[in-house]
Amino acid sequence: MPHTLAAPVESRLDLKKSVFLGLVAPVADRPAAQALVEALRVRHPDAAHVCWALLAGGHSAAVDDGEPGGTAGRPMLDVLRHQDLDGVVAIVVRYYGGVKLGAGGLVRAYTDAVAQALLKAEKIAIRASVTLVAEVPYALEGTLRRLIQQAGARLDEVGHARAVTLVVTLPADEAAAFRTAAGDACHGALRWLAPPDA
C-alpha cells in the first residue's frame, strides 16, 4: 500500500566540505513540487545545485540540476520508490565545498540526504476512497447517520426532499460491507443512487 508524508521533514549531511540539505514533503502534483524547488532556490541563492525527485499520482521526475547525469535525481527517485511513497517530492540543496566526490560519492550523498529525512518523517497510508449516495425515508435518517458514524465514514452532504439523500465518502475496501450493513439496517427501504460525478 503506498504512503505519503504527514509533513515536510529536513535533513543535513556534511561530506568532504560539501553540505547537502535534504527536504522531503507531501505534494499533490508536479506544479506543487516545482513551486517548492523554486522556493528553495530563492532561499539558497548561493547553492551549487538544487536537485529533486518526484512521485505523485502516477507522475515522476528526476532532476540532476547540473550534477553528472544519474548521480542525483535518479538515486533520490529510487529511494522514494523503494519506500513505496506517492505524493512526495525529495529535494536536496548542495553547497559545493571544493572537493570532488566522484559519481559514487554523489549517488551516496544524495541518497543519504533523502533517506535521513525519511527516517524522521511520519508516513501515512494512502487508501483509495469512494463516494456513495443513499436515499432513505425520513424515519431512517437517524439509523443511517449512526451507521455512517460507526463506520468512520465522512458525511459530505445531506439533502431533504421527498426523501433524505446522504452523500458519504469511505475507504473503497470498506464500501461493500457498508452497503450491506446499511441495506440490512434499513430493511430494504434504502436506495443507492449514482454519485454526483459518476
Side-chain angles (χ1 to χ4, degrees):
M1 176 181 297
H3 288 73
T4 190
L5 304 180
V9 179
E10 297 180 352
S11 67
R12 178 186 171 115
L13 175 67
D14 295 283
L15 187 62
K16 295 186 179 177
K17 299 185 180 177
S18 280
V19 177
F20 296 84
L21 303 174
L23 170 71
V24 291
V27 292
D29 51 26
R30 188 181 184 109
Q34 289 173 314
L36 268 177
V37 170
E38 291 312 310
L40 285 176
R41 284 188 201 284
V42 169
R43 209 165 96 197
H44 299 278
D46 298 330
H49 308 280
V50 180
C51 305
W52 58 284
L54 168 73
L55 279 176
H59 297 280
S60 65
V63 178
D64 293 321
D65 190 41
E67 291 284 28
T71 61
R74 177 64 59 190
M76 293 162 61
L77 183 63
D78 289 344
V79 173
L80 297 181
R81 283 193 172 126
H82 179 71
Q83 296 206 18
D84 198 18
L85 295 170
D86 192 33
V88 175
V89 64
I91 307 167
V92 177
V93 176
R94 180 187 183 192
Y95 283 90
Y96 180 59
V99 177
K100 293 192 179 216
L101 301 178
L106 287 172
V107 168
R108 281 189 299 279
Y110 281 101
T111 299
D112 288 352
V114 173
Q116 283 180 19
L118 288 171
L119 281 175
K120 300 182 281 184
E122 180 186 349
K123 298 178 180 95
I124 302 169
I126 299 171
R127 294 177 76 185
S129 62
V130 295
T131 300
L132 301 176
V133 182
E135 184 181 79
V136 292
Y138 279 84
L140 291 173
E141 179 180 0
T143 301
L144 192 53
R145 280 181 179 263
R146 278 189 295 282
L147 276 173
I148 292 166
Q149 187 176 15
Q150 289 168 0
R154 187 179 75 226
L155 181 58
D156 297 325
E157 190 179 320
V158 179
H160 295 93
R162 63 179 177 78
V164 182
T165 304
L166 298 101
V167 180
V168 182
T169 300
L170 71 162
D173 57 351
E174 296 175 10
F178 177 79
R179 286 175 72 119
T180 300
D184 291 348
C186 294
H187 311 291
L190 181 150
R191 273 188 354 136
W192 295 106
L193 307 176
D197 57 353

